[in-house]
Amino acid sequence: MYYSEAQARDLVVKAGHMLQEKGLVERTWGNISARISETRFVITPSGLAYETMRPEYLAVYDFADGSWQGPYKPSSEKGIHADAYRLRPEVAFVIHTHQDMASICGIRGEGLEAHDPLLGDRVPCAAYGLSSTKKLRRAVAKELEANPQSKAILMRRHGLLCVGKDMEEAFSLADRLEELCSGRFTALVEAPALPASPEELGDSFRDGDYFTLKLGSQERHCPIYRKNGDAAANLHAAIYKNSDAQCILHCRDAYVLKASRRLRRLRPMLDDLAQIAGADILCVPPEEAKVLKALEGRSAVLIKGQGALCIGDAPDEARAVLRLLEKGCRAQAYADAIGGCRPLSYGDALLQRIVFVKKYSKKKQRG
């Protein structure tokens, strides 16, 4: 089955919105494609958010000769999509996401027993490879070839791939796998007990030499370069004074609080946390000097017993860090529950962080 190009463009955009509504994709993470001929497919471009995606923004890629057309470069994972279409002639739609529970359940590198009418008996797991590399592409292709009945493939420490005869099937696979993995997580991981009332460090948004601090039910305008009346405001001011942050968010998610109570540092189990937050996330007391040191080269810091502070050069960037930290702390809890699962090597995590920061900086420079 092939879609017309116009139909394929509309369906890819529609699928992106559906995945967002289900909480299966955020921002620019993941990619979606639809086949329009034996060797050609339309695919989401690199670095564009799903909420602003339009049909005309998509790229057309031809895996016969590696050529593409469109106003934006196709996703860096286009090769994985190409292999799915090459190895599965019946496939007309491919979805790759970093959705929370499926990503977490793939950290050990083992397939999942599913015994599900849609997913089949087993969901295999591709071996780990750095994002957008030939190693990752080869690992996914290997599982697609070795498991011809499997329409969903976990990607260790990364996400998953779903291949369907049409958009509806590919979307249903991603949705159903998240349900299955959520059930597995709940069965294995004991929900952390929350302290009676975790101390609030507040959320803030910078405006020139001032910032608006939301602390509990109060909101006030605070100076960055003069002392404020309380420790929380002074801590936010110090971060703004010593970084490019434009927004600071205090995360008090239960799993993040648990990590801040028991860890000296959080080593990422998943590559997206390493990319956007840092090769490791340190845990320190809420003292200005220690927090500033812990944020060097990082976008998050665990605050001893109080959750975490997440920073970004825009509110959506800080929220992305917060979301991935929540996911990363759940991945740590899952790893503790199943045992035998080590975090990313520091070298791999640092490399991914450096590549992400450099690529992101270039995008900002281009405007």
Side-chain angles (χ1 to χ4, degrees):
M1 168 185 169
Y2 308 145
Y3 291 108
S4 70
E5 185 175 329
Q7 186 182 20
R9 290 178 180 276
D10 288 341
L11 287 174
V12 167
V13 172
K14 179 182 178 181
H17 294 159
M18 290 169 62
L19 290 166
Q20 274 192 311
E21 289 167 8
K22 277 283 188 176
L24 300 179
V25 297
E26 289 190 54
R27 292 165 42 79
T28 65
W29 304 325
N31 28 77
I32 307 166
S33 70
R35 190 197 289 261
I36 59 175
S37 76
E38 184 177 355
T39 64
R40 295 164 65 241
F41 55 89
V42 299
I43 186 168
T44 47
S46 181
L48 288 185
Y50 292 99
E51 59 265 23
T52 58
M53 194 77 67
R54 297 175 61 175
E56 60 267 29
Y57 294 168
L58 305 183
V60 175
Y61 184 76
D62 190 334
F63 62 82
D65 59 11
S67 63
W68 64 273
Q69 297 85 39
Y72 300 100
K73 289 176 62 175
S75 166
S76 59
E77 302 288 15
K78 59 187 176 295
I80 290 177
H81 290 249
D83 289 339
Y85 292 122
R86 177 176 57 83
L87 295 167
R88 304 282 182 88
E90 75 281 5
V91 165
F93 210 90
V94 176
I95 292 174
H96 165 48
T97 75
H98 300 179
Q99 58 200 63
D100 287 9
M101 289 301 156
S103 299
I104 289 169
C105 285
I107 62 175
R108 198 177 194 178
E110 297 178 349
L112 297 178
E113 298 302 317
H115 306 295
D116 181 85
L118 185 61
L119 294 167
D121 290 338
R122 184 173 176 274
V123 179
C125 185
Y128 172 69
L130 287 172
S131 179
S132 304
T133 62
K134 291 180 180 178
K135 181 179 178 181
L136 178 60
R137 178 179 175 177
R138 287 194 298 267
V140 176
K142 179 181 177 181
E143 296 303 324
L144 285 167
E145 278 194 290
N147 301 276
Q149 303 306 312
S150 296
K151 298 179 180 179
I153 308 287
L154 294 174
M155 303 160 72
R156 189 179 188 192
R157 304 189 184 282
H158 186 76
L160 72 150
L161 188 77
C162 294
V163 299
K165 66 180 184 298
D166 52 28
M167 185 269 283
E168 290 78 12
E169 183 178 44
F171 175 81
S172 296
L173 286 162
D175 191 29
R176 180 69 188 107
L177 184 55
E178 192 70 356
E179 290 179 6
L180 177 73
C181 291
S182 181
R184 178 177 171 82
F185 180 90
T186 302
L188 291 173
V189 180
E190 183 179 355
L194 283 171
S197 56
E199 185 176 344
E200 288 194 45
L201 298 176
D203 300 336
S204 67
F205 309 88
R206 182 170 186 165
D207 181 14
D209 290 343
Y210 291 82
F211 61 96
T212 300
L213 177 66
K214 297 180 179 180
L215 194 60
S217 60
Q218 297 183 336
E219 183 175 307
R220 66 185 199 274
H221 211 43
C222 305
I224 292 174
Y225 297 99
R226 296 198 308 272
K227 280 295 182 182
N228 292 280
D230 61 77
N234 287 331
L235 179 57
H236 283 246
I239 293 172
Y240 286 127
K241 194 185 306 182
N242 291 276
S243 74
D244 294 328
Q246 298 294 311
C247 177
I248 303 170
L249 300 178
H250 181 204
C251 180
R252 295 189 296 158
D253 171 80
Y255 288 92
V256 177
L257 281 166
K258 179 181 178 181
S260 75
R261 293 197 299 267
R262 58 178 291 269
L263 298 178
R264 290 185 177 182
R265 71 177 65 208
L266 175 68
R267 296 271 305 279
M269 293 282 175
L270 295 163
D271 55 10
D272 50 12
L273 179 61
Q275 290 166 11
I276 202 167
D280 60 356
I281 291 63
L282 305 181
C283 186
V284 300
E287 300 169 12
E288 290 179 24
K290 292 183 177 179
V291 170
L292 293 177
K293 183 69 176 176
L295 281 172
E296 291 180 359
R298 304 174 182 87
S299 300
V301 55
L302 292 167
I303 305 297
K304 196 67 180 176
Q306 297 177 39
L309 290 177
C310 303
I311 67 173
D313 63 4
D316 66 328
E317 292 295 331
R319 283 192 290 270
V321 175
L322 184 147
R323 278 281 295 112
L324 287 180
L325 184 60
E326 291 176 345
K327 177 181 168 185
C329 288
R330 282 165 172 74
Q332 180 63 58
Y334 183 77
D336 292 341
I338 63 175
C341 187
R342 298 179 62 81
L344 284 167
S345 73
Y346 184 76
D348 272 4
L350 183 60
L351 177 60
Q352 297 208 55
R353 173 64 174 169
I354 291 170
V355 170
F356 175 83
V357 170
K358 285 186 175 180
K359 286 175 67 177
Y360 181 64
S361 296
K362 286 180 181 177
K363 287 177 185 175
K364 286 196 294 183
Q365 289 167 10
R366 289 197 299 265

